[in-house]
Amino acid sequence: ALLFIGGKFAEKKALGLVAKHFAPIPKPKRALPSFYTEEPTQDGEREVTLRRVGENQIVSALYRVPAGHHPDYPAIDVLTNVLGDAPSGRLHRALVQKGLASHAWGAERGLHDPGFVYFGASLPKDGKVEPARAALLAVVESVKSEPVRAEEVERARTQLLNDFEKTQLETAAYVRALSEFAAIGDWRLFFLYRERLKKVTAADVQRVAEHYLKPANRVLGTFIPTDAPERADIPASQEWQAALEAY
């Protein structure tokens, strides 16, 4: 367990209460289980289509990336912002401003283990999926032919660093952020990540874009709303053991 105490408090009294209520709890002797396998490198494009009751169509592309404590991750964070920010991001300008989608985004999830970044766009029920999907992939995977610009990196990095500064000014947000980085591996990663973010260059962002945003590392998803989804429900096999008694 990890305990955070934030805000204006009497340090000596607070630490005394912590010792009183938590010190008697014995440290567990058991070892936490570890993964016995590793996710293999993806060897080709994957695609999934989901048909379910809903309102908006969605196209989204997901790419596998390292864990949140990997040195590449701050550059991946900047790259995600360059592509997915609204209204200045490349996806917003290529899809929303051109009328191909009503909303576009990019997001990353810094995790303890290797994770993912994903980019997507939503369309009305009567929108055309194919042009939006083609434009989405063209923007995300064209960074090699249309390199990130220094001004894009500067804008994204400044915005992300400002988020760090704002977080440290608000106690609840600060505690939440430290707990998130603790989940990634250690609360001190908050500060290491911030320092690494300050040093991200356009070359760093270009390198991670070319390495991770490639078709062979992509999972492409499409959500198509339908009022009557066709399903093949799989029945449980319940009486097969009784049938064996005749043998």
Side-chain angles (χ1 to χ4, degrees):
L2 181 65
L3 174 67
F4 286 101
I5 303 175
K8 187 177 182 180
F9 57 88
E11 182 178 343
K12 186 176 180 180
K13 183 178 181 180
L15 292 176
L17 290 171
V18 171
K20 175 183 177 181
H21 294 287
F22 291 92
I25 301 174
K27 182 179 180 180
K29 295 181 180 180
R30 66 180 178 86
L32 293 175
S34 58
F35 291 118
Y36 59 90
T37 60
E38 292 183 3
E39 184 75 16
T41 299
Q42 185 170 315
D43 289 321
E45 304 92 324
R46 297 180 182 180
E47 184 172 351
V48 59
T49 299
L50 177 65
R51 300 178 188 274
R52 187 176 291 173
V53 176
E55 294 299 324
N56 297 320
Q57 301 178 97
I58 297 174
V59 292
S60 183
L62 177 148
Y63 302 82
R64 301 171 190 273
V65 296
H69 42 71
H70 191 279
D72 277 354
Y73 212 89
I76 292 171
D77 203 356
V78 171
L79 172 64
T80 304
N81 188 287
V82 167
L83 295 176
D85 183 61
S88 58
R90 293 187 178 189
L91 285 171
H92 182 88
R93 289 185 279 113
L95 280 84
V96 179
Q97 291 184 2
K98 294 184 179 179
L100 296 176
S102 54
H103 178 56
W105 66 85
E108 49 75 32
R109 293 290 180 268
L111 304 174
H112 180 276
D113 302 296
F116 55 88
V117 295
Y118 60 99
F119 306 92
S122 61
L123 304 80
K125 237 177 184 178
D126 58 351
K128 296 181 179 180
V129 171
E130 290 76 12
R133 180 165 48 208
L136 173 74
L137 294 179
V139 171
V140 174
E141 295 178 7
S142 69
V143 180
K144 188 172 184 178
S145 58
E146 297 181 26
V148 293
R149 301 186 301 276
E151 59 269 24
E152 289 180 306
V153 173
E154 179 63 25
R155 178 197 57 77
R157 185 179 55 217
T158 299
Q159 181 176 323
L160 293 170
L161 286 172
N162 284 343
D163 290 341
F164 271 83
E165 295 304 317
K166 292 176 183 177
T167 295
Q168 292 179 269
L169 296 176
E170 206 273 297
T171 302
Y174 201 5
V175 169
R176 286 194 299 269
L178 291 175
S179 66
E180 288 293 330
F181 278 94
I184 295 175
D186 191 294
W187 62 270
R188 293 170 295 180
L189 285 168
F190 177 95
F191 306 100
L192 175 62
Y193 192 95
R194 183 186 61 185
E195 294 309 307
R196 285 175 170 175
L197 190 58
K198 292 178 181 178
K199 300 175 183 177
V200 169
T201 65
D204 295 327
V205 179
Q206 187 66 31
R207 176 180 56 80
V208 298
E210 294 185 16
H211 184 74
Y212 299 110
L213 303 186
K214 55 181 62 174
N217 191 38
R218 177 217 303 153
V219 179
L220 179 64
T222 306
F223 171 60
I224 302 177
T226 178
D227 295 329
E230 292 187 9
R231 291 172 171 164
D233 293 326
I234 308 301
S237 182
Q238 297 176 337
E239 301 179 1
W240 62 274
Q241 290 177 316
L244 293 177
E245 295 178 1
Y247 293 85

